[in-house]
Every structure is written in structure tokens, then in C-alpha cells.
Amino acid sequence: MRAVLLGTAAGGGFPQWNCACARCVSGAPPRAQDCLAVSADGQAWYLVNAAPDLRAQILATPELAAGPGPRDTPIRGALLTDAELDHTLGLLLLRGAAGLRVWAPKAVLHAVRDEFPLREIVDAYGAWDWLPVESEVDIGDLRVSVLPVSDKHPKYAATSTVDGPWVVAYRIEDPATGGVLVYAPCLADWPPGFDEFASGASYALIDGTFYAAAEMSGATRSGVADGVQHAMGHLPIAGDHGSLARIRRALPGHRGVRWAYTHLNNTNPLVDPATPEHAEVLTFNIDLPPDGTRLDL
Ligand code: MLT
Ligand code: MN
Ligand code: ZN
């Protein structure tokens, strides 16, 4: 299996267009909103989430270039972890493509139809298949298993009463090579069963939105109210209950798993390779892959 990390930032990307904080003006390498592409054979590619940056991400990725016929594309479809705008708006940009397939949990398919008319808009240009995923699904030659993560609703669907899960994680396996990619960019907590779900993975790419628990509070980022970050439902990296401690506790059962962070927020010191936090995370053998990283699994 080949994977290309098309984007590794949280909603808004890095730097964020409406933010002039020290981090955003630091000149650290930009990151697009998180999204990746996977393929078993290097010919048929599937997106995992579809960021609003998708057009630029596709044009920057030779594997996704149009062809060989004048209107062909190697992109066959997309798999969604949740219905957040940073993970779904890119589908609107693909509306010119005929016959794409979109796999997502039922609640996510509901959100992009009944809470925000994305499906109606896209289907007006060419009917796609919208396919619910529950526990397992084959996507091309890849085998995908699903772990329910949370019932966090996107803000635009805050009042929906549809049953979850609203957020899931995926374990994508290439049966031909045994390579396994785990993708979980939205973790409000360490979900039950996640240690087992990630065990034996070649690469586990998880929610790295916030480094510290109070990162969005007034103390570190003026103008953003306390409590916003908690409400956003992202587990911090640092601290006793953070994901770094959870990863380290999951060892030694996880020998061989390469952990990595994605969905980095513009407030997160890990976006800047010059910070001590960035250096420290690397010392734990945890990856902080930049946009454009290729994985061969
Ligand atoms: C999130 O990751 O919490 C969401 O993408 C927030 C948002 O941008 O609406
Ligand atoms: Mn997000
Ligand atoms: Zn900023």
C-alpha cells in the first residue's frame, strides 16, 4: 500500500489566514488541512477525508494527476472519518468527477445530506455512490476496519439527534503486503479498544491538534476564550492524560508500530520544527510528518 499525506493541519490549516499569532508569522513550513490518499496498486487511489485544500493538494501530487485518458482521474472515491467541514468540503471540489464512491458512517452520510446539502449539490453534477460503513469494508484491494470513536457533532449539525458514531477511526490493511495504516485524526479521548485496534499497525497517524490542555486559553493565545478547546473535543498530546502518555503506556505491546501526529492546530508548538516540544516528541520516536510524506506499507 502506498499512502501520501496530502495535509497534516487542523481546520484552517497552518498558518491560518485570520491569525497573526507568533506561531503563524514564524515562517514555519505551511501545512494544508489533513487528508490523505491511499492505494494498493499505485493506480487506483482513495482519499481519506477531503480537505478544502484538495485542489492544490491534488495538483502537488503526481500520483493523483489526471490521465491516462483526457478525462480520467486515478481518484476512485473517498472514505470519511467524520462530517467536519475540514474533512468534507473537498468533496465539493470533486463534483466534476463521475461515479465516485464515498464511504462514511451513517451519521456522517446523514450530516452531509440533511444538515448541509453537500450530497445534493454534488449529485446534481453526476451521481455518486454514498455507502455506509459499519465494521469492515473492502475498498479496492484494501481491507478497512472501523472503530467508533465518539459522538462529537460538527457545529453545523449540533442539534441532530441521529445515532452515532459520528466520528470513527480506520485501520487500512493491504492483504498483499500485510501493511497496516491506522488513521484517527479526531480523538476526544483515547477510545475504548484503541490499543488493540492499533496493535500490529505499521503506521498509526493520530490526532495531534493540541499539544497542551490549555493551549487555546487566554494564557497562551490571546483572544480565544477558555473552554473552547475542550468543547472542540481533541485530546491534548502532553500531560498525564494526553496521547503521548497513552502511546508510551501502550508499549511494549506496540513494538513495531510507528506513531505519528496529524491534524496539528496553528496554536500547536509542534508545527514549528524549531521548538523544544517538536524535538522532544521526536526523541520518543514519534513522527511529525510534513505534508507530502509518502509511506510504503
Ligand atoms: C475540529 O477538528 O474540531 C473541527 O474541524 C473544528 C472545525 O473546524 O469546525
Ligand atoms: Mn478538524
Ligand atoms: Zn496563529
Side-chain angles (χ1 to χ4, degrees), residues 128-146:
W128 291 4
D129 287 327
W130 302 86
L131 306 160
V133 290
E134 268 164 35
S135 54
E136 277 185 6
V137 62
D138 283 340
I139 293 187
D141 293 326
L142 299 170
R143 184 163 303 151
V144 177
S145 19
V146 186

Side-chain angles (χ1 to χ4, degrees), residues 47-213:
L47 301 171
V48 191
N49 291 336
D53 301 312
L54 197 52
R55 179 178 179 277
Q57 290 167 317
I58 291 171
L59 294 181
T61 307
E63 292 90 330
L64 303 181
R71 294 299 297 228
D72 290 346
T73 166
I75 298 172
R76 300 280 182 269
L79 180 64
L80 306 176
T81 58
D82 55 73
E84 296 290 347
L85 296 174
D86 54 340
H87 292 162
T88 54
L89 281 180
L91 294 177
L92 288 171
L93 311 180
L94 301 180
R95 66 191 177 282
L100 292 192
R101 312 180 82 191
V102 179
W103 293 266
K106 275 187 186 151
V108 172
L109 294 180
H110 146 77
V112 298
R113 183 188 60 207
D114 304 324
E115 305 289 340
F116 173 55
L118 186 149
R119 279 171 69 172
E120 204 180 317
I121 296 168
V122 167
D123 283 338
Y125 291 82
W128 291 4
D129 287 327
W130 302 86
L131 306 160
V133 290
E134 268 164 35
S135 54
E136 277 185 6
V137 62
D138 283 340
I139 293 187
D141 293 326
L142 299 170
R143 184 163 303 151
V144 177
S145 19
V146 186
L147 182 77
V149 164
S150 79
D151 282 336
K152 189 201 159 202
H153 293 38
K155 260 188 189 169
Y156 70 81
T159 57
S160 171
T161 54
V162 165
D163 285 345
W166 279 75
V167 179
V168 298
Y170 291 117
R171 179 183 169 98
I172 304 167
E173 179 174 2
D174 181 349
T177 62
V180 172
L181 174 66
V182 166
Y183 186 55
C186 186
L187 295 176
D189 257 308
W190 201 254
F194 193 53
D195 285 344
E196 296 74 24
F197 192 72
S199 79
S202 331
Y203 204 81
L205 196 56
I206 68 164
D207 188 341
T209 310
F210 300 116
Y211 182 78

Side-chain angles (χ1 to χ4, degrees), residues 30-51:
R31 290 174 185 263
Q33 294 163 91
D34 90 287
C35 175
L36 57 120
V38 293
S39 176
D41 59 7
Q43 308 291 318
W45 287 84
Y46 298 88
L47 301 171
V48 191
N49 291 336

